[in-house]
């Protein structure tokens, strides 16, 4: 029996086990929407802006390890999705974005709502397709899902002209796929893994640096086993948070521009570094030559060869799936019994613990003004550290990363690479869809939340009971912080004037709003929002927070990890190792 | 340093733009690019001449390999190789100049492939430097038009780029 291209699209999604499609209809995809109307394999979620469709599909994927699917119409629908696609691309999220296109005879004629989506999205996708023949739809979907989910994952765009969705053909979904030009690696080279084990055995100051690749590669258990087996100090990047339990004794906090004192110094002064699914980006190591000014041997495990030796040269590159490589490394270490020298490791731990002592995340909460850090800490307590937390971008994102101790992978969802404001609320929707029984909190700011505030309406329609934690300091906080530090307190365009009354706004959308102005009210408000009574409701908590709070520690652009700006109680602290006759080798 | 990369790539719509887009997006240089299908028409062979430090060339080859449609990439500079470029050059050839121009073409083993009363069109093949040398040897005033293909390269001996 012949069916239309539009029906084939829905059947392909069914074959791939898709549960949700986030989208917005329009002229070029009307056939597909008609086919959606006639099926009940998957549910369609109607967003209020296409950017949100892609973010929601993205977070659906991040929080569940399934593939997110977004459906956009041609032209403005497709271009509205671009920010979402770029966000997913920068963080390597497997995503299928289906965009409508004008009919094939019209392509190139500047037709109504025509845009060259394959061209527009080319630099921000893992791959993209323009399907010009109805007989190619099924094979294209099979390839697209395969490409999106294997190797280093990423978004794949499928652009389908309207006439192709109308034409009919027989539907047969390919059982397997083979692309001769695409063979991502899996196993790491055994010789390289041996070298890595030997380096670890010879290490005096070993350190493990875990990035988003360990979360996406589901390697959390293997990473934890490695860290525990050798008793190594370990840091997670912003994208890697949760890969090692944030409350684990071996965890020294996040590293990077706003990393902890101990994580940054351990990163700088270690002698053997094991990088797992991380890419040494500028917000993590700052400048490569500063980072390498202390000699260290680096093992870099990554599925993407182009991530290796991109910013820093490494001694032992291992290309492969991080889960497979780390598990092989652990097996080898168990077999050979290779361990770092006990005494040296103990001395290194003494040093790390000394760095921990002053607590670089310390802040003081007075009885008058709510500190943003305090809200995140209380959120952690109230949700037992178990909530899925999404965030937007800015100070609140850093506070969330620093003070919410993520217990497991896929619990922390943020736009790390692209830094997309407006990501938080649609991401919370996607995460809640994927995890209907989980508590989902969106930590945001009064500026970021307004970038996709219209999604409050989607949340109403689909009864998405996320809790919005709005850290409202009436400023673009991170911009203000940089203006304070580097632009002589000239707060150019960073003050958020004419803010809406968020309580009324939430109520206007049919939700519950709360305004919290006193530190003493923070915990009760959170308890109420997360209570059994409100578990089916979206609650918008508008916390009026300290306007002057800054994120510390901070590694300024161009500075080394050992040249942090520290919080007040640590100013003037010596940022080099205390030598104290400890034998952990020559430090410089 | 100058490098010459040979790329096997699926002969699909848009594949070329993925390659050139990659170079511009990441700030790499393309000195020349040639492409045509191979004996297997589902596949194209591309030769890109680029320059950069070893680190940059390593990144370029890795990034090219990451493109889904790219089957294989080799850096021909890593071993002995041959490269050739074709130039068509139209020169003024009147009076005395006509003989002189014919001699020049012969010296460089060029062939005159089109003749008018006032001009010759000369076909010249060789490494890029040879074509440069030919242009240099001519009085700039006699050159009416040049068109060059950019280099095509192939490994010497047993070195073969194939799937």
């Amino acid at each position: 029996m012949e069916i239309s291209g539009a029906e084939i699209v829905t059947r392909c999604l069914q074959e791939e086990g898709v549960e949700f499609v986030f989208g917005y209809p329009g002229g070029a995809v009307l056939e597909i929407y008609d086919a959606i109307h006639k099926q009940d394999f998957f549910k369609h979620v109607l967003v209020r802006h296409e950017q949100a469709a892609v973010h929601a599909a993205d977070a659906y994927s991040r929080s569940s390890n399934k593939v997110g699917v977004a459906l956009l119409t041609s032209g403005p629908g497709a271009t509205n999705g671009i920010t979402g696609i770029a966000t997913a691309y920068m963080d390597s999220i497997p995503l299928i974005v289906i965009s409508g296109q004008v009919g094939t005879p019209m392509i190139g004629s500047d037709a109504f709502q025509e845009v060259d989506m394959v061209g527009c999205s080319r630099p921000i996708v893992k791959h993209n397709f323009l399907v010009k023949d109805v007989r190619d739809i099924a094979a294209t979907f099979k390839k697209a899902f395969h490409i999106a989910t294997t190797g280093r994952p990423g978004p794949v765009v499928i652009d389908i002209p309207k006439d192709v969705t109308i034409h009919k053909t027989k539907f047969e979904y390919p059982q397997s796929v083979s692309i001769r030009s695409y063979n991502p690696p899996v196993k790491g080279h055994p010789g390289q893994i041996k070298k890595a084990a030997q380096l670890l055995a010879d290490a005096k100051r070993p350190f493990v640096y875990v990035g988003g690749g360990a979360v996406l590669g589901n390697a959390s258990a293997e990473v934890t086993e490695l860290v525990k087996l050798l008793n190594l100090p370990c840091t997670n990047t912003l994208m890697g948070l949760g890969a090692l339990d944030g409350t684990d004794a071996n965890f020294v906090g996040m590293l990077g521009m706003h990393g902890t004192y101990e994580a940054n110094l351990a990163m700088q002064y270690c002698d053997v570094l094991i990088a797992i699914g991380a890419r040494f980006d500028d917000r993590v190591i700052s400048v490569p030559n500063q980072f390498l000014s202390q000699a260290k041997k680096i093992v870099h495990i990554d599925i993407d060869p182009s991530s290796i030796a991109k910013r820093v040269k490494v001694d032992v590159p291992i290309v492969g799936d991080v889960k497979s490589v780390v598990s092989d490394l652990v097996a080898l270490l168990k077999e050979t019994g290779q361990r770092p020298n006990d005494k040296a490791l103990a001395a290194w731990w003494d040093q790390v613990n000394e760095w921990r002592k002053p607590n670089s995340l310390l802040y003081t909460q007075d009885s008058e003004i709510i500190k943003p850090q305090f809200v995140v800490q209380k959120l952690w307590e109230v949700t037992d550290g178990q909530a899925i937390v999404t965030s937007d971008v800015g100070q609140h994102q850093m506070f969330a990363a620093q003070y919410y101790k993520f217990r497991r992978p896929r619990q922390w969802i943020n736009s790390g690479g692209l830094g997309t404001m407006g990501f938080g609320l649609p991401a919370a929707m996607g995460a809640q869809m994927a995890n209907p029984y989980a508590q989902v909190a969106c930590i945001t700011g009064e500026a970021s939340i307004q970038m996709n505030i219209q999604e409050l309406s989607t949340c109403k329609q689909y009864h998405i009971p996320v809790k919005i934690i709005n850290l409202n300091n009436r400023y673009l906080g991170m911009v203000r912080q940089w203006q304070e530090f580097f632009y002589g307190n000239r707060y150019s365009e960073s003050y958020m004037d004419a803010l809406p009354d968020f309580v009324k706004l939430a109520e206007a959308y049919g939700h519950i709003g709360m305004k919290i102005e006193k530190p003493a009210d923070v915990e009760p408000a959170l308890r109420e929002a997360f209570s059994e009574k409100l578990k089916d409701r979206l609650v918008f908590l508008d916390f009026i927070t300290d306007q002057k709070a800054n994120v510390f520690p901070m590694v300024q652009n161009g500075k080394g990890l050992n040249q942090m700006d520290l919080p007040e109680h640590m100013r003037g602290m010596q940022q080099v190792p205390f030598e104290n006759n400890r034998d952990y080798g020559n430090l410089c | 340093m100058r490098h010459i990369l040979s790329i096997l790539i699926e002969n699909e719509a848009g594949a070329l733009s993925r390659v050139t887009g990659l170079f511009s997006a990441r700030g790499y240089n393309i000195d020349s690019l040639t492409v045509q299908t191979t004996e297997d028409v589902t596949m194209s062979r591309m030769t890109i001449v680029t320059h950069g430090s070893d680190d940059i060339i390593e990144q370029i080859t890795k990034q090219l390999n990451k493109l889904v449609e790219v089957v294989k990439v080799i850096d021909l500079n890593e071993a002995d190789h041959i490269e050739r470029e074709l130039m068509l050059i139209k020169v003024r050839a009147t009076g005395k100049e006509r003989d002189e121009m014919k001699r020049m073409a012969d010296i460089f083993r060029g062939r005159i492939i089109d003749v008018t009363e006032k001009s010759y069109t000369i076909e010249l093949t060789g490494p890029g430097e040879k074509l440069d040398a030919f242009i240099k040897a001519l009085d700039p005033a006699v050159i009416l038009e040049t068109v060059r293909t950019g280099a095509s390269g192939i490994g010497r001996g047993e070195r073969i780029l194939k799937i």
Side-chain angles (χ1 to χ4, degrees), chain A residues 128 180-181 304 308 313, chain B residues 10 18 42 55 62 66 68:
Chain A
N128 58 17
R180 66 178 167 182
S181 57
D304 178 4
I308 296 175
K313 281 242 191 308
Chain B
E10 295 288 349
R18 287 183 211 281
T42 64
D55 293 353
K62 283 175 168 179
K66 231 168 102 171
V68 169

Side-chain angles (χ1 to χ4, degrees), chain A residues 89 118 122-123 125-129 132 143 147 152 179-182 304-311 313, chain B residues 10 12 14 17-18 20-22 25-26 40 42-43 55 58-59 62-63 65-71 163:
Chain A
Y89 179 68
V118 166
R122 197 188 59 227
V125 291
K126 185 165 174 192
H127 198 55
N128 58 17
F129 297 94
K132 283 182 153 171
K143 276 188 196 168
I147 292 169
R152 181 176 180 174
I179 305 171
R180 66 178 167 182
S181 57
Y182 177 73
D304 178 4
S306 75
S307 277
I308 296 175
K310 182 164 68 178
R311 295 201 77 233
K313 281 242 191 308
Chain B
E10 295 288 349
E12 280 171 15
S17 69
R18 287 183 211 281
T20 53
L22 172 88
R26 294 190 181 267
D40 169 0
T42 64
M43 200 123 68
D55 293 353
E58 183 185 337
Q59 263 302 307
K62 283 175 168 179
Q63 293 292 348
N65 268 311
K66 231 168 102 171
L67 295 177
V68 169
E69 283 154 341
V70 168
V71 181
I163 50 167

Side-chain angles (χ1 to χ4, degrees), chain B residues 4 82-86 125-128 131 149-154 156:
Chain B
I4 177 160
I82 306 160
E83 53 177 282
R84 288 290 179 271
E85 182 176 353
L86 169 70
T125 310
L131 308 188
T149 59
S152 282
I154 197 163
R156 273 194 188 274

